[in-house]
Short mmCIF file of all heavy atoms in Angstrom, two decimals:
data_model
loop_
_atom_site.label_atom_id
_atom_site.label_comp_id
_atom_site.label_asym_id
_atom_site.label_seq_id
_atom_site.Cartn_x
_atom_site.Cartn_y
_atom_site.Cartn_z
N ARG A 1 -34.90 -8.13 -11.33
CA ARG A 1 -34.89 -8.85 -12.60
C ARG A 1 -36.02 -9.89 -12.62
O ARG A 1 -36.63 -10.13 -13.67
CB ARG A 1 -33.54 -9.52 -12.80
CG ARG A 1 -33.44 -10.42 -14.02
CD ARG A 1 -33.50 -9.66 -15.31
NE ARG A 1 -33.49 -10.55 -16.46
CZ ARG A 1 -32.40 -11.08 -16.98
NH1 ARG A 1 -31.21 -10.80 -16.46
NH2 ARG A 1 -32.47 -11.88 -18.02
N LEU A 2 -36.29 -10.50 -11.48
CA LEU A 2 -37.37 -11.48 -11.40
C LEU A 2 -38.71 -10.85 -11.73
O LEU A 2 -39.52 -11.44 -12.45
CB LEU A 2 -37.39 -12.10 -10.00
CG LEU A 2 -38.52 -13.10 -9.71
CD1 LEU A 2 -38.44 -14.27 -10.67
CD2 LEU A 2 -38.44 -13.59 -8.27
N VAL A 3 -38.96 -9.64 -11.23
CA VAL A 3 -40.22 -8.95 -11.53
C VAL A 3 -40.30 -8.63 -13.02
O VAL A 3 -41.37 -8.76 -13.64
CB VAL A 3 -40.33 -7.67 -10.68
CG1 VAL A 3 -41.52 -6.83 -11.12
CG2 VAL A 3 -40.47 -8.03 -9.21
N MET A 4 -39.18 -8.22 -13.61
CA MET A 4 -39.18 -7.92 -15.04
C MET A 4 -39.48 -9.18 -15.86
O MET A 4 -40.26 -9.14 -16.82
CB MET A 4 -37.84 -7.34 -15.46
CG MET A 4 -37.78 -6.89 -16.91
SD MET A 4 -36.15 -6.30 -17.41
CE MET A 4 -35.24 -7.86 -17.41
N GLU A 5 -38.87 -10.31 -15.49
CA GLU A 5 -39.13 -11.56 -16.19
C GLU A 5 -40.57 -12.03 -15.99
O GLU A 5 -41.19 -12.58 -16.89
CB GLU A 5 -38.15 -12.64 -15.71
CG GLU A 5 -36.72 -12.43 -16.14
CD GLU A 5 -36.54 -12.61 -17.65
OE1 GLU A 5 -37.31 -13.39 -18.25
OE2 GLU A 5 -35.66 -11.95 -18.22
N LEU A 6 -41.07 -11.79 -14.80
CA LEU A 6 -42.45 -12.19 -14.51
C LEU A 6 -43.45 -11.38 -15.35
O LEU A 6 -44.54 -11.86 -15.64
CB LEU A 6 -42.74 -11.99 -13.02
CG LEU A 6 -44.00 -12.64 -12.44
CD1 LEU A 6 -43.97 -14.14 -12.65
CD2 LEU A 6 -44.13 -12.31 -10.96
N GLN A 7 -43.05 -10.18 -15.76
CA GLN A 7 -43.92 -9.34 -16.56
C GLN A 7 -43.94 -9.77 -18.03
O GLN A 7 -44.96 -9.65 -18.69
CB GLN A 7 -43.47 -7.88 -16.46
CG GLN A 7 -44.41 -6.88 -17.12
CD GLN A 7 -45.74 -6.75 -16.38
OE1 GLN A 7 -45.84 -7.06 -15.21
NE2 GLN A 7 -46.77 -6.31 -17.10
N CYS A 8 -42.82 -10.32 -18.53
CA CYS A 8 -42.73 -10.59 -19.96
C CYS A 8 -42.46 -12.05 -20.31
O CYS A 8 -42.63 -12.44 -21.47
CB CYS A 8 -41.64 -9.71 -20.60
SG CYS A 8 -39.99 -9.97 -19.93
N ASN A 9 -42.05 -12.88 -19.34
CA ASN A 9 -41.74 -14.28 -19.61
C ASN A 9 -43.02 -15.11 -19.42
O ASN A 9 -43.48 -15.32 -18.30
CB ASN A 9 -40.63 -14.77 -18.67
CG ASN A 9 -40.09 -16.12 -19.06
OD1 ASN A 9 -40.82 -17.01 -19.50
ND2 ASN A 9 -38.78 -16.30 -18.90
N MET A 10 -43.56 -15.61 -20.51
CA MET A 10 -44.83 -16.32 -20.43
C MET A 10 -44.69 -17.67 -19.73
O MET A 10 -45.62 -18.13 -19.07
CB MET A 10 -45.40 -16.53 -21.84
CG MET A 10 -45.78 -15.24 -22.55
SD MET A 10 -47.00 -14.31 -21.59
CE MET A 10 -47.05 -12.78 -22.48
N ALA A 11 -43.55 -18.33 -19.88
CA ALA A 11 -43.33 -19.60 -19.19
C ALA A 11 -43.32 -19.41 -17.68
O ALA A 11 -43.90 -20.20 -16.93
CB ALA A 11 -42.02 -20.24 -19.66
N LEU A 12 -42.68 -18.32 -17.22
CA LEU A 12 -42.66 -18.03 -15.79
C LEU A 12 -44.05 -17.65 -15.29
O LEU A 12 -44.45 -18.02 -14.19
CB LEU A 12 -41.65 -16.93 -15.50
CG LEU A 12 -41.41 -16.58 -14.04
CD1 LEU A 12 -40.94 -17.81 -13.26
CD2 LEU A 12 -40.40 -15.45 -13.90
N ARG A 13 -44.80 -16.90 -16.09
CA ARG A 13 -46.18 -16.57 -15.72
C ARG A 13 -47.02 -17.83 -15.57
O ARG A 13 -47.82 -17.96 -14.65
CB ARG A 13 -46.81 -15.65 -16.78
CG ARG A 13 -46.53 -14.18 -16.59
CD ARG A 13 -47.22 -13.35 -17.64
NE ARG A 13 -47.10 -11.93 -17.32
CZ ARG A 13 -48.00 -11.24 -16.63
NH1 ARG A 13 -49.10 -11.85 -16.22
NH2 ARG A 13 -47.83 -9.97 -16.37
N TRP A 14 -46.87 -18.75 -16.50
CA TRP A 14 -47.61 -20.01 -16.42
C TRP A 14 -47.22 -20.79 -15.17
O TRP A 14 -48.08 -21.35 -14.49
CB TRP A 14 -47.31 -20.84 -17.67
CG TRP A 14 -47.97 -22.18 -17.67
CD1 TRP A 14 -49.20 -22.51 -18.17
CD2 TRP A 14 -47.43 -23.40 -17.14
NE1 TRP A 14 -49.46 -23.83 -17.98
CE2 TRP A 14 -48.39 -24.42 -17.34
CE3 TRP A 14 -46.23 -23.73 -16.51
CZ2 TRP A 14 -48.18 -25.73 -16.94
CZ3 TRP A 14 -46.03 -25.04 -16.10
CH2 TRP A 14 -47.00 -26.03 -16.34
N PHE A 15 -45.94 -20.81 -14.84
CA PHE A 15 -45.46 -21.54 -13.67
C PHE A 15 -46.02 -20.95 -12.38
O PHE A 15 -46.40 -21.68 -11.46
CB PHE A 15 -43.93 -21.50 -13.67
CG PHE A 15 -43.30 -22.33 -12.59
CD1 PHE A 15 -43.21 -23.70 -12.70
CD2 PHE A 15 -42.77 -21.72 -11.45
CE1 PHE A 15 -42.63 -24.47 -11.71
CE2 PHE A 15 -42.19 -22.47 -10.45
CZ PHE A 15 -42.12 -23.85 -10.58
N VAL A 16 -46.08 -19.62 -12.31
CA VAL A 16 -46.55 -18.95 -11.09
C VAL A 16 -48.07 -18.95 -11.02
O VAL A 16 -48.65 -18.94 -9.92
CB VAL A 16 -45.99 -17.51 -11.06
CG1 VAL A 16 -46.57 -16.72 -9.89
CG2 VAL A 16 -44.47 -17.53 -10.98
N GLY A 17 -48.76 -18.96 -12.18
CA GLY A 17 -50.21 -18.88 -12.20
C GLY A 17 -50.71 -17.46 -12.29
O GLY A 17 -51.81 -17.15 -11.81
N LEU A 18 -49.92 -16.59 -12.92
CA LEU A 18 -50.29 -15.20 -13.09
C LEU A 18 -50.96 -15.03 -14.44
O LEU A 18 -50.38 -15.37 -15.48
CB LEU A 18 -49.04 -14.32 -13.00
CG LEU A 18 -49.23 -12.85 -12.64
CD1 LEU A 18 -49.83 -12.69 -11.25
CD2 LEU A 18 -47.90 -12.12 -12.73
N ASN A 19 -52.18 -14.52 -14.45
CA ASN A 19 -52.93 -14.37 -15.69
C ASN A 19 -52.30 -13.31 -16.59
O ASN A 19 -51.52 -12.46 -16.14
CB ASN A 19 -54.39 -14.01 -15.40
CG ASN A 19 -55.13 -15.14 -14.72
OD1 ASN A 19 -54.84 -16.31 -14.97
ND2 ASN A 19 -56.07 -14.80 -13.87
N LEU A 20 -52.68 -13.33 -17.86
CA LEU A 20 -52.13 -12.39 -18.82
C LEU A 20 -52.51 -10.95 -18.51
O LEU A 20 -51.76 -10.02 -18.83
CB LEU A 20 -52.60 -12.75 -20.24
CG LEU A 20 -51.94 -13.97 -20.88
CD1 LEU A 20 -52.68 -14.35 -22.17
CD2 LEU A 20 -50.48 -13.70 -21.17
N ASP A 21 -53.67 -10.74 -17.91
CA ASP A 21 -54.12 -9.38 -17.63
C ASP A 21 -53.72 -8.91 -16.23
O ASP A 21 -54.17 -7.85 -15.78
CB ASP A 21 -55.63 -9.28 -17.78
CG ASP A 21 -56.37 -10.27 -16.88
OD1 ASP A 21 -55.72 -11.16 -16.32
OD2 ASP A 21 -57.61 -10.15 -16.76
N GLN A 22 -52.87 -9.66 -15.53
CA GLN A 22 -52.41 -9.27 -14.20
C GLN A 22 -51.00 -8.72 -14.29
O GLN A 22 -50.13 -9.28 -14.97
CB GLN A 22 -52.43 -10.47 -13.24
CG GLN A 22 -53.81 -10.95 -12.86
CD GLN A 22 -53.75 -12.13 -11.90
OE1 GLN A 22 -53.44 -13.25 -12.28
NE2 GLN A 22 -54.03 -11.86 -10.64
N ASP A 23 -50.75 -7.63 -13.58
CA ASP A 23 -49.42 -7.03 -13.54
C ASP A 23 -48.55 -7.75 -12.51
O ASP A 23 -49.05 -8.27 -11.50
CB ASP A 23 -49.49 -5.55 -13.18
CG ASP A 23 -50.10 -4.72 -14.29
OD1 ASP A 23 -49.94 -5.11 -15.47
OD2 ASP A 23 -50.75 -3.71 -13.98
N ALA A 24 -47.25 -7.78 -12.79
CA ALA A 24 -46.31 -8.35 -11.81
C ALA A 24 -46.23 -7.43 -10.60
O ALA A 24 -46.50 -6.23 -10.68
CB ALA A 24 -44.93 -8.51 -12.45
N TRP A 25 -45.85 -7.98 -9.46
CA TRP A 25 -45.80 -7.21 -8.22
C TRP A 25 -44.52 -6.39 -8.17
O TRP A 25 -43.59 -6.57 -8.95
CB TRP A 25 -45.84 -8.18 -7.03
CG TRP A 25 -46.74 -9.34 -7.26
CD1 TRP A 25 -48.09 -9.28 -7.48
CD2 TRP A 25 -46.38 -10.73 -7.37
NE1 TRP A 25 -48.58 -10.54 -7.68
CE2 TRP A 25 -47.56 -11.46 -7.63
CE3 TRP A 25 -45.19 -11.41 -7.27
CZ2 TRP A 25 -47.58 -12.83 -7.78
CZ3 TRP A 25 -45.19 -12.79 -7.42
CH2 TRP A 25 -46.37 -13.48 -7.67
N ASP A 26 -44.47 -5.50 -7.21
CA ASP A 26 -43.26 -4.72 -6.98
C ASP A 26 -42.19 -5.62 -6.36
O ASP A 26 -42.50 -6.57 -5.64
CB ASP A 26 -43.56 -3.55 -6.05
CG ASP A 26 -42.39 -2.59 -5.93
OD1 ASP A 26 -42.23 -1.75 -6.83
OD2 ASP A 26 -41.63 -2.69 -4.94
N HIS A 27 -40.94 -5.30 -6.64
CA HIS A 27 -39.85 -6.16 -6.14
C HIS A 27 -39.79 -6.18 -4.62
O HIS A 27 -39.33 -7.15 -4.01
CB HIS A 27 -38.51 -5.67 -6.71
CG HIS A 27 -38.11 -4.30 -6.22
ND1 HIS A 27 -37.37 -4.12 -5.08
CD2 HIS A 27 -38.36 -3.08 -6.71
CE1 HIS A 27 -37.18 -2.83 -4.89
NE2 HIS A 27 -37.76 -2.17 -5.87
N SER A 28 -40.26 -5.09 -3.97
CA SER A 28 -40.23 -5.06 -2.51
C SER A 28 -41.22 -6.04 -1.88
O SER A 28 -41.13 -6.32 -0.68
CB SER A 28 -40.53 -3.64 -2.01
OG SER A 28 -41.83 -3.24 -2.41
N THR A 29 -42.14 -6.57 -2.67
CA THR A 29 -43.09 -7.56 -2.14
C THR A 29 -42.35 -8.76 -1.58
O THR A 29 -42.72 -9.30 -0.53
CB THR A 29 -44.05 -8.00 -3.26
OG1 THR A 29 -44.73 -6.86 -3.78
CG2 THR A 29 -45.07 -9.00 -2.73
N PHE A 30 -41.31 -9.20 -2.25
CA PHE A 30 -40.56 -10.37 -1.79
C PHE A 30 -39.82 -10.06 -0.49
O PHE A 30 -39.90 -10.82 0.48
CB PHE A 30 -39.57 -10.82 -2.86
CG PHE A 30 -40.23 -11.25 -4.14
CD1 PHE A 30 -40.30 -10.40 -5.23
CD2 PHE A 30 -40.80 -12.50 -4.26
CE1 PHE A 30 -40.90 -10.78 -6.41
CE2 PHE A 30 -41.42 -12.90 -5.44
CZ PHE A 30 -41.46 -12.04 -6.51
N SER A 31 -39.08 -8.96 -0.46
CA SER A 31 -38.27 -8.65 0.72
C SER A 31 -39.14 -8.34 1.93
O SER A 31 -38.83 -8.77 3.05
CB SER A 31 -37.35 -7.46 0.42
OG SER A 31 -38.10 -6.33 0.02
N GLN A 32 -40.26 -7.63 1.74
CA GLN A 32 -41.11 -7.28 2.86
C GLN A 32 -41.80 -8.52 3.44
O GLN A 32 -41.90 -8.67 4.67
CB GLN A 32 -42.15 -6.25 2.43
CG GLN A 32 -41.56 -4.88 2.09
CD GLN A 32 -40.88 -4.24 3.27
OE1 GLN A 32 -41.30 -4.37 4.42
NE2 GLN A 32 -39.79 -3.53 3.01
N ASN A 33 -42.29 -9.41 2.58
CA ASN A 33 -42.92 -10.63 3.09
C ASN A 33 -41.90 -11.53 3.77
O ASN A 33 -42.21 -12.16 4.79
CB ASN A 33 -43.59 -11.39 1.94
CG ASN A 33 -45.00 -10.89 1.66
OD1 ASN A 33 -45.96 -11.28 2.30
ND2 ASN A 33 -45.11 -9.99 0.68
N ARG A 34 -40.70 -11.58 3.23
CA ARG A 34 -39.67 -12.40 3.85
C ARG A 34 -39.29 -11.86 5.22
O ARG A 34 -39.15 -12.62 6.18
CB ARG A 34 -38.43 -12.44 2.94
CG ARG A 34 -37.33 -13.35 3.46
CD ARG A 34 -36.07 -13.23 2.63
NE ARG A 34 -36.29 -13.59 1.25
CZ ARG A 34 -36.20 -12.75 0.23
NH1 ARG A 34 -35.93 -11.48 0.46
NH2 ARG A 34 -36.39 -13.15 -1.00
N ARG A 35 -39.13 -10.55 5.32
CA ARG A 35 -38.69 -9.96 6.58
C ARG A 35 -39.79 -9.93 7.63
O ARG A 35 -39.54 -10.23 8.81
CB ARG A 35 -38.19 -8.54 6.31
CG ARG A 35 -37.70 -7.80 7.55
CD ARG A 35 -37.08 -6.48 7.15
NE ARG A 35 -38.06 -5.60 6.53
CZ ARG A 35 -38.87 -4.79 7.21
NH1 ARG A 35 -38.82 -4.76 8.53
NH2 ARG A 35 -39.72 -4.00 6.59
N ARG A 36 -41.01 -9.60 7.22
CA ARG A 36 -42.08 -9.40 8.20
C ARG A 36 -42.86 -10.67 8.53
O ARG A 36 -43.53 -10.74 9.56
CB ARG A 36 -43.07 -8.35 7.67
CG ARG A 36 -42.47 -6.98 7.49
CD ARG A 36 -43.51 -6.01 6.99
NE ARG A 36 -42.99 -4.66 6.85
CZ ARG A 36 -43.70 -3.61 6.46
NH1 ARG A 36 -44.98 -3.78 6.16
NH2 ARG A 36 -43.16 -2.42 6.36
N ARG A 37 -42.83 -11.65 7.63
CA ARG A 37 -43.73 -12.79 7.80
C ARG A 37 -43.00 -14.13 7.79
O ARG A 37 -43.09 -14.91 8.73
CB ARG A 37 -44.81 -12.74 6.71
CG ARG A 37 -45.85 -13.82 6.82
CD ARG A 37 -46.96 -13.61 5.79
NE ARG A 37 -47.81 -12.48 6.12
CZ ARG A 37 -47.98 -11.40 5.37
NH1 ARG A 37 -47.34 -11.30 4.22
NH2 ARG A 37 -48.79 -10.43 5.73
N PHE A 38 -42.28 -14.44 6.74
CA PHE A 38 -41.80 -15.80 6.54
C PHE A 38 -40.57 -16.15 7.38
O PHE A 38 -40.38 -17.30 7.75
CB PHE A 38 -41.50 -16.04 5.05
CG PHE A 38 -42.70 -15.84 4.17
CD1 PHE A 38 -42.61 -15.13 2.99
CD2 PHE A 38 -43.92 -16.37 4.53
CE1 PHE A 38 -43.72 -14.94 2.19
CE2 PHE A 38 -45.04 -16.19 3.73
CZ PHE A 38 -44.94 -15.48 2.56
N ASP A 39 -39.73 -15.16 7.69
CA ASP A 39 -38.54 -15.45 8.49
C ASP A 39 -38.90 -15.86 9.91
O ASP A 39 -38.34 -16.81 10.46
CB ASP A 39 -37.62 -14.23 8.53
CG ASP A 39 -36.60 -14.27 7.40
OD1 ASP A 39 -36.62 -15.25 6.63
OD2 ASP A 39 -35.80 -13.33 7.28
N LYS A 40 -39.83 -15.14 10.52
CA LYS A 40 -40.18 -15.41 11.91
C LYS A 40 -40.84 -16.77 12.06
O LYS A 40 -40.68 -17.43 13.09
CB LYS A 40 -41.11 -14.31 12.43
CG LYS A 40 -40.45 -12.94 12.48
CD LYS A 40 -41.42 -11.89 13.00
CE LYS A 40 -40.78 -10.52 13.06
NZ LYS A 40 -41.70 -9.48 13.56
N ASP A 41 -41.57 -17.19 11.07
CA ASP A 41 -42.27 -18.47 11.14
C ASP A 41 -41.46 -19.63 10.57
O ASP A 41 -41.92 -20.76 10.55
CB ASP A 41 -43.60 -18.38 10.39
CG ASP A 41 -44.52 -19.54 10.69
OD1 ASP A 41 -44.92 -19.68 11.87
OD2 ASP A 41 -44.83 -20.30 9.76
#
């Protein structure tokens, strides 16, 4: 749902810094970065 909101919610795009011509990422981006990178550190 977060990815869907990031694609169409302009306030959330402004908060994140995602330009209008940029697509939102895949939902697995969050889980993979959390599991492979951010948890260990």
Side-chain angles (χ1 to χ4, degrees):
R1 174 68 184 278
L2 176 59
V3 172
M4 184 184 70
E5 290 292 331
L6 194 59
Q7 187 68 23
C8 60
N9 191 322
M10 295 302 171
L12 185 58
R13 275 182 171 267
W14 177 90
F15 186 77
V16 174
L18 201 63
N19 293 328
L20 286 170
D21 57 348
Q22 290 181 285
D23 291 330
W25 323 298
D26 188 81
H27 66 89
S28 62
T29 302
F30 298 100
S31 57
Q32 292 298 325
N33 275 277
R34 184 187 300 114
R35 180 174 63 86
R36 297 181 178 182
R37 183 174 288 120
F38 300 135
D39 269 359
K40 296 180 180 180
D41 194 62

